[in-house]
Amino acid sequence: MLELVKAGGWPMLPLLLLSAVGLAIIVERFWALRRSAVLPPGLGQEVRTWAARGRLDPSHIDSLRRNSPLGELMAAALDVRHRPREEIRERVEDVGRHIAHRMERFLNALGTIAGAGPLLGLFGTVVGMIQMFLGVMDHGVGDVNQLAGGIGKALVCAAAGMVVAVPALIFHRWFRARIDGYIVDMEHEAIQLMDVIDPRARAAAAALAAYPQGDGQPDAQPAQG
């Protein structure tokens, strides 16, 4: 490996730097975007149970907000639970945008690495070709070693650029798809919570509990003429 780096010359330095940064971003995003860290199992059902029983004191909500991105989203809905459903939805959407932005942290940099890798590889290729032709000008076409060195540097840099770019592109797309899936799941959990804390839904549930079907309540009679 060290021999290949030496063969590529100084254009390999920015490629090595990009590969180190890309690897660090991939490892960090793998850790940050674990499903158990973003969508803890059972959290949505637990919060809906709290809401249904009215156990929503400020300490519970603050603890929920610090729990995970899903907890932060549900805490935002609980903060305005006494307001109309449309206001709750607006708050959830606003907080959801901020959460999505945080989950996409460093992904733009990873996408830049995926795009810059081949360009830096091409740059190294051009540098190698230039050195090859300068060698031809100085020593003529009889110096095979000079020609081989320039061609080798060009090929090594091109290969290194693709080695850096391909994994960065794959993981960039994969993280994007993972985040999109998380957002859909969090929206589903938030809608279910809104169904529980919606004042109109609670009123309808209370009415059904007070007058269940088949309890002998008379139906409304039409007005007599």
Side-chain angles (χ1 to χ4, degrees):
M1 181 61 70
L2 183 60
E3 294 298 326
L4 289 176
V5 173
K6 290 181 179 179
W10 65 266
M12 288 289 292
L13 295 178
L15 286 171
L16 291 175
L17 178 61
L18 284 184
S19 65
V21 173
L23 180 61
I25 292 174
I26 290 170
V27 172
E28 190 276 338
R29 287 293 87 189
F30 254 122
W31 180 257
L33 295 177
R34 303 184 322 268
R35 188 171 187 86
S36 60
V38 179
L39 296 166
L43 180 62
Q45 182 59 49
E46 183 180 357
V47 174
R48 289 192 295 272
T49 302
W50 291 354
R53 295 176 179 176
R55 298 177 181 177
L56 296 172
D57 56 90
S59 62
H60 274 118
I61 296 177
D62 289 338
S63 176
L64 177 64
R65 198 188 319 275
R66 296 188 297 269
N67 178 272
S68 62
L70 175 60
E72 182 179 353
L73 188 68
M74 302 185 87
L78 295 176
D79 285 337
V80 293
R81 60 188 179 277
H82 299 301
R83 299 183 185 178
R85 187 184 181 96
E86 289 304 317
E87 293 188 23
I88 299 175
R89 182 186 295 274
E90 289 176 3
R91 175 65 65 88
V92 168
E93 290 176 351
D94 182 61
V95 174
R97 283 192 294 268
H98 288 82
I99 293 174
H101 179 73
R102 287 202 304 272
M103 287 195 295
E104 291 174 354
R105 184 184 182 191
F106 300 135
L107 290 192
N108 285 336
L110 192 61
T112 300
I113 291 173
L119 294 178
L120 286 174
L122 178 62
F123 174 73
T125 301
V126 172
V127 170
M129 298 301 291
I130 290 173
Q131 291 181 348
M132 183 187 69
F133 283 111
L134 289 177
V136 170
M137 291 175 60
D138 292 337
H139 306 285
V141 295
D143 192 344
V144 178
N145 291 331
Q146 187 72 25
L147 293 175
I151 296 173
K153 180 177 293 186
L155 295 177
V156 167
C157 290
M162 288 184 285
V163 167
V164 171
V166 170
L169 178 61
I170 291 173
F171 282 107
H172 178 265
R173 297 287 180 86
W174 188 80
F175 286 134
R176 288 280 187 186
R178 193 173 183 86
I179 291 171
D180 289 342
Y182 285 158
I183 291 173
V184 171
D185 291 340
M186 285 193 289
E187 287 178 352
H188 179 67
E189 294 287 351
I191 290 173
Q192 287 185 312
L193 179 60
M194 283 190 288
D195 290 339
V196 173
I197 64 177
D198 186 359
R200 289 173 296 181
R202 291 200 304 268
L208 288 175
Y211 300 105
Q213 292 182 358
D215 64 351
Q217 294 293 330
D219 296 334
Q221 298 295 328
Q224 299 295 328

